Amino acid sequence: DTEVTQTPKHLVMGMTNKKSLKCEQHMGHRAMYWYKQKAKKPPELMFVYSYEKLSINESVPSRFSPECPNSSLLNLHLHALQPEDSALYLCASSQGNMGHYEQYFGPGTRLTVT
Amino acid sequence: QKEVEQDPGPLSVPEGAIVSLNCTYSNSAFQYFMWYRQYSRKGPELLMYTYSSGNKEDGRFTAQVDKSSKYISLFIRDSQPSDSATYLCAIDPSGAGSYQLTFGKGTKLSVIP
């Protein structure tokens, strides 16, 4: 199974809402990532978890809060977002010790903030 | 200077053509070079990666790294309509095998039947 799943596929939320994005993989990967992708732009790294510990936080605003409950799951909690946060949010995973360049991406959650 | 530069295109070719996609990078210390393909409304998928320099071939796809000119290329032979997608080059900016990838802007390719 080389699949990364993400839920929901689409999400519309108001600026005062709280919502969560979920990501799951069963490849035994120990590194998991959140990326943000705007239209016609490349993915931008937000967070990296390595062995369930946050190892990279790319100066992301605190209205985005990641969580890694276990090695297969990754969540992104959203609160008080702005319209400019509307984007495709991609989850990815890779082997922990090596092969980080071989990242498996999920289909993404398309987020619209109204 | 950006770490990796890629012409966003778009690029339109007839079916069966040879496609050449290119990126330039800024730092000679970079070691890992990747090509990802992204179909519309999908996540990127890794096509190929090369470590250091040289060529790597996989079916109709060939990845090439020229470290002397800091140039990376992806060639697609006998292009098919199913190759229509955005192609993203990516590098590991740390040069030491970190978790971070820096992507190029992506080149949108259309293969016309």
Side-chain angles (χ1 to χ4, degrees), chain B:
Chain B
Q1 183 182 8
K2 292 185 178 178
E3 291 175 320
V4 61
E5 302 263 14
Q6 182 176 11
D7 184 345
L11 181 62
S12 184
V13 301
E15 183 176 353
I18 296 175
V19 176
S20 173
L21 304 167
N22 307 293
C23 292
T24 58
Y25 62 93
S26 59
N27 191 330
S28 58
F30 297 161
Q31 297 275 36
Y32 291 94
F33 306 93
M34 284 68 69
W35 285 97
Y36 281 80
R37 175 175 64 193
Q38 187 171 20
Y39 289 114
S40 180
R41 299 190 172 275
K42 301 282 188 183
E45 59 176 325
L46 179 68
L47 271 179
M48 303 178 71
Y49 73 88
T50 52
Y51 175 73
S52 192
S53 61
N55 291 3
K56 190 170 186 178
E57 189 173 321
D58 184 2
R60 296 185 294 110
F61 297 86
T62 300
Q64 190 174 80
V65 177
D66 182 345
K67 296 203 84 177
S68 61
S69 58
K70 298 179 192 168
Y71 206 76
I72 56 177
S73 302
L74 179 71
F75 299 98
I76 307 174
R77 292 185 299 280
D78 187 24
S79 55
Q80 302 295 308
S82 58
D83 296 328
S84 298
T86 296
Y87 290 80
L88 299 145
C89 61
I91 52 96
D92 168 10
S94 75
S98 74
Y99 292 105
Q100 293 178 273
L101 299 182
T102 299
F103 289 89
K105 288 184 177 179
T107 300
K108 186 171 183 178
L109 172 67
S110 296
V111 180
I112 311 302

Side-chain angles (χ1 to χ4, degrees), chain A residues 3-114:
Chain A
E3 190 179 23
V4 175
T5 58
Q6 289 187 245
T7 55
K9 290 184 178 180
H10 301 274
L11 179 63
V12 179
M13 60 185 290
M15 291 191 288
T16 58
N17 292 159
K18 284 185 180 181
K19 297 286 184 182
S20 296
L21 309 184
K22 296 186 185 300
C23 173
E24 190 166 5
Q25 58 87 14
H26 295 287
M27 294 178 278
H29 289 170
R30 303 307 299 272
M32 296 187 76
Y33 310 73
W34 280 115
Y35 287 87
K36 173 183 178 181
Q37 187 175 28
K38 302 281 269 185
K40 298 184 179 181
K41 298 287 187 181
E44 296 178 15
L45 184 64
M46 300 175 71
F47 303 104
V48 180
Y49 274 85
S50 173
Y51 293 84
E52 296 94 71
K53 292 186 179 178
L54 184 64
S55 63
I56 295 175
N57 177 342
E58 290 288 353
S59 303
V60 179
S62 60
R63 56 186 184 268
F64 296 92
S65 175
E67 178 195 20
C68 189
N70 60 55
S71 59
S72 300
L73 293 174
L74 186 66
N75 299 321
L76 186 63
H77 303 297
L78 314 172
H79 174 55
L81 296 192
Q82 303 298 308
E84 60 265 27
D85 296 322
S86 298
L88 180 69
Y89 287 84
L90 293 161
C91 173
S93 70
S94 68
Q95 295 180 40
N97 288 326
M98 57 187 296
H100 59 278
Y101 41 82
E102 190 169 3
Q103 295 185 17
Y104 290 80
F105 283 81
T109 293
R110 193 160 297 278
L111 173 68
T112 302
V113 181
T114 60

